Amino acid sequence: MDIMLDKAGDLYISSEGDIVLGNSVAQKIRVRLKWFEGEWRWNRSEGLPYRDTLLMKNPDMDYFEAAAREKIFEVEEVTEVREVSASFDRRTRQAAMRFVAVTDLETIRREMRLDV
């Protein structure tokens, strides 16, 4: 069980004021994809290489998308990653990622904006 998060990434609080627990593969994937490499103090190699591959003048999209695909596949319930695509607009400094991941129970299709 995990503590559930809302779409903004904050704790999801029920109408009764309680923290909600659940098991969401989509949330597990989203958390992994929002993690910048070097951000977690106990394992600096965790996360995606946003700064080194995406947030630069000439981003290496193939490398970044392959790294994102690998992070999605690290989620235990994921059996297949069908699509991963990322974009970064240097002018507006907005990044986005789309993915399709398959589990034994569902196909997860998401597009997420990245705060950069």
Side-chain angles (χ1 to χ4, degrees):
M1 298 296 272
D2 294 315
I3 296 173
M4 298 306 294
L5 305 174
D6 65 16
K7 290 186 185 223
D10 295 325
L11 292 175
Y12 180 74
I13 306 294
S14 72
S15 58
E16 292 82 29
D18 296 323
I19 292 174
V20 177
L21 299 177
N23 185 18
S24 169
V25 177
Q27 177 175 298
K28 290 177 186 179
I29 293 170
R30 192 173 83 183
V31 166
R32 285 182 184 268
L33 294 180
K34 286 191 168 248
W35 220 342
F36 278 60
E37 186 175 60
E39 189 175 64
W40 193 35
R41 65 195 280 184
W42 290 283
N43 187 348
R44 300 269 183 215
S45 65
E46 271 300 323
L48 284 171
Y50 285 103
R51 291 179 190 91
D52 297 335
T53 59
L54 185 66
L55 307 177
M56 52 190 345
K57 187 174 183 178
N58 296 310
D60 187 345
M61 298 305 287
D62 291 335
Y63 180 82
F64 181 79
E65 288 170 358
R69 179 180 299 274
E70 185 177 310
K71 286 296 173 195
I72 293 169
F73 202 65
E74 286 177 4
V75 174
E76 184 177 330
E77 295 90 344
V78 173
T79 58
E80 181 183 355
V81 180
R82 291 191 181 155
E83 177 189 333
V84 174
S85 62
S87 63
F88 177 62
D89 184 334
R90 286 184 339 178
R91 187 179 54 76
T92 62
R93 301 215 22 98
Q94 292 186 5
M97 187 176 316
R98 273 194 304 259
F99 66 88
V100 177
V102 179
T103 73
D104 288 339
L105 302 175
E106 64 183 325
T107 298
I108 302 165
R109 291 177 174 79
R110 295 286 191 277
E111 180 171 340
M112 48 187 272
R113 300 271 176 228
L114 304 168
D115 303 322
V116 292

